Amino acid sequence: METMVCPMGGGATRLYSNLSSSHPLPLPSSSLDPHQPTDKNLDPDFCQEQKGSSLCPPDPDELLRQFEEALKDRPSRFHRKFTYSSNVDSASSSPIRVMQWNILAQALGEGLDGFVQCPLEALSWSRRKYLILGEILTYRPHILCLQEVDHYYDTFQPVLAGLGYSSNFFPKPWSPCLDVEGNNGPDGCALFFDQSRFELVDSVNMRLSAMRIPTNQVAVVMMLRCRSTGRCLFVAVTHLKARSGWEWLRSTQGSDLLRQLQNLVQKHTGGPVDAPSSDIPLLICGDFNAIPTEEVYRRFITSPLRLDSAYKKLSKDGLTEPEYTTWKIRPTGECCATLDYIWYSQDTLRVDAVLDMPTEEQIGPNRLPSFSYPSDHLSLVCDFSFKEKE
């Protein structure tokens, strides 16, 4: 199987370090969260014991080799290409690669989501974890925004920490994963960044409200400083309420997120969000569970934060979203829709490249997830650059 590796993300080329150094100090047994990281519950497939410490494979290429070996009997993964902006000077640019992805919580995939055309074997964690991490390592983003993460502590945090990523995770208050027998804890949103490219300035976990009433949806927001340019940006990851009939709730949740982000921008700039001095860009990634005609989409397009959707760059007119970011078959029928977005500050960030969507033929008649792809949502990957200050 041919594997394309894109040379992005400097921190992803480092050797793995001792994972125990990134673990928090142990808590008393009475208060220990069973899903918090310990040497005993790290995924053994990615770690080996050496002198009493858990060590992981030496580099991302070794991990990719392991993934290929573990999944050598499966169909080839999707081959996707980047569409580049016509005004990008690739020789002089040093873009920031961003990945947005609802990875499908393991408990939901096996227990509640009902993917009627997907074989149970393809939904097993022993297969899916290699596909998920393989997708991340293929594109090696500097900023990684994930939803439906329910294996944060035993897999994603330790493995990606060894690759040079720092992260924050915020679980849903009432995760549906907890209703599934044998679950691995609540699912939530996770935000990772490459420490060789960025340093953390601030981090905030937000519980989204509707009409001042807290809801079950959350967001993680970080303010990062780029080490090469010294410029800062805000990054947010969120996952809005699912299902039809809840459009009003998604709209109010989106409005609450925008309001809280405006407050953060004002806090760090000391002025109104639309003032000329407010030059700290925003990136907002998420599964909005909303098609482009929904009210929450309009709220983002018309926000004073002056946001635009990066994936419109794939269209010929630059105004149209992709036909789909998710394609699945459930007992209720087939769903093919655009629900996932990467929003960006159009005055201060430039979209240099966008990863295209696989074709219907690539996805196949049984749709997603599958032996080739581990989630019902497709990853979104974009390269951004800071615009020059005037």
Side-chain angles (χ1 to χ4, degrees):
M1 180 185 70
E2 179 186 359
T3 300
M4 177 186 69
V5 177
C6 302
M8 297 293 295
T13 62
R14 300 181 196 167
L15 299 180
Y16 270 72
S17 60
N18 191 321
L19 290 177
S20 61
S21 65
S22 66
H23 297 168
L25 293 174
L27 298 172
S29 58
S30 61
S31 61
L32 186 65
D33 183 339
H35 305 295
Q36 291 283 337
T38 67
D39 283 340
K40 291 183 179 180
N41 67 13
L42 291 174
D43 193 314
D45 286 341
F46 302 122
C47 299
Q48 58 186 358
E49 294 300 320
Q50 182 175 338
K51 296 181 181 179
S53 298
S54 295
L55 295 174
C56 283
D59 59 25
D61 293 327
E62 171 63 15
L63 270 180
L64 279 172
R65 188 199 64 76
Q66 287 192 20
F67 298 159
E68 293 172 11
E69 179 64 25
L71 302 169
K72 60 185 178 182
D73 60 331
R74 71 171 177 87
S76 298
R77 67 172 185 84
F78 301 148
H79 290 273
R80 302 166 65 183
K81 297 180 180 179
F82 280 94
T83 297
Y84 291 88
S85 174
S86 58
N87 61 352
V88 174
D89 181 359
S90 59
S92 63
S93 63
S94 180
I96 298 165
R97 178 157 291 179
V98 179
M99 176 183 276
Q100 146 61 29
W101 198 14
N102 178 331
I103 61 173
L104 175 61
Q106 185 60 30
L108 300 183
E110 288 187 313
L112 296 177
D113 276 351
F115 300 115
V116 293
Q117 298 295 329
C118 182
L120 285 177
E121 186 185 356
L123 290 169
S124 68
W125 181 239
S126 61
R127 297 183 67 95
R128 291 187 62 244
K129 62 187 178 184
Y130 288 106
L131 285 168
I132 294 170
L133 286 163
E135 180 88 347
I136 294 168
L137 281 170
T138 294
Y139 300 108
R140 301 188 189 180
H142 300 107
I143 296 171
L144 173 63
C145 297
L146 302 179
Q147 300 87 40
E148 291 198 22
V149 179
D150 63 348
H151 275 272
Y152 175 79
Y153 292 117
D154 67 345
T155 302
F156 295 108
Q157 190 278 332
V159 172
L160 292 174
L163 288 167
Y165 287 90
S166 183
S167 61
N168 194 7
F169 170 67
F170 193 25
K172 295 176 183 175
W174 311 298
S175 168
C177 291
L178 298 178
D179 295 330
V180 178
E181 185 178 355
N183 69 81
N184 198 62
D187 77 299
C189 293
L191 201 165
F192 299 80
F193 67 92
D194 181 349
Q195 295 179 92
S196 73
R197 187 66 185 268
F198 293 101
E199 60 179 328
L200 180 65
V201 178
D202 195 8
S203 183
V204 179
N205 288 345
M206 296 178 177
R207 186 171 172 187
L208 302 181
S209 295
M211 296 176 287
R212 300 187 179 181
I213 299 174
T215 69
N216 195 38
Q217 278 61 51
V218 300
V220 178
V221 185
M222 290 184 180
M223 183 179 181
L224 304 175
R225 180 179 290 111
C226 179
R227 295 185 186 275
S228 60
T229 66
R231 296 184 66 175
C232 292
L233 76 160
F234 287 101
V235 184
V237 55
T238 194
H239 187 187
L240 302 187
K241 174 66 179 176
R243 311 296 185 214
S244 61
W246 293 98
E247 291 81 2
W248 67 272
L249 183 56
R250 287 191 283 273
S251 180
T252 53
Q253 288 176 336
S255 295
D256 185 52
L257 176 59
L258 290 169
R259 178 187 61 80
Q260 294 193 62
L261 288 172
Q262 288 182 28
N263 291 339
L264 271 180
V265 171
Q266 292 178 24
K267 170 186 172 183
H268 286 278
T269 61
V273 69
D274 54 354
S277 61
S278 179
D279 60 355
I280 303 179
L282 271 165
L283 285 167
I284 307 171
C285 299
D287 174 359
F288 280 61
N289 279 305
I291 60 176
T293 56
E294 273 199 32
E295 175 67 16
V296 66
Y297 186 95
R298 189 191 68 81
R299 288 184 181 272
F300 271 70
I301 283 289
T302 59
S303 165
L305 292 168
R306 291 197 39 81
L307 303 170
D308 202 1
S309 175
Y311 259 73
K312 293 195 300 184
K313 298 293 184 181
L314 281 182
S315 64
K316 292 182 179 179
D317 59 7
L319 301 173
T320 309
E321 295 288 353
E323 292 183 24
Y324 49 83
T325 62
T326 182
W327 202 339
K328 66 199 101 182
I329 302 175
R330 285 177 165 149
T332 53
E334 190 163 355
C335 171
C336 177
T338 293
L339 306 177
D340 308 88
Y341 306 94
I342 298 178
W343 298 93
Y344 70 101
S345 298
Q346 56 186 316
D347 295 335
T348 46
L349 289 174
R350 182 185 69 221
V351 181
D352 294 340
V354 180
L355 186 67
D356 68 8
M357 290 296 170
T359 64
E360 179 179 358
E361 182 181 7
Q362 287 178 296
I363 290 173
N366 294 330
R367 310 314 186 199
L368 304 173
S370 67
F371 282 113
S372 292
Y373 204 77
S375 176
D376 55 322
H377 290 254
L378 294 158
S379 64
L380 310 186
V381 184
C382 294
D383 291 347
F384 292 93
S385 292
F386 291 107
K387 286 187 176 180
E388 295 298 323
K389 297 180 179 180
E390 298 181 359

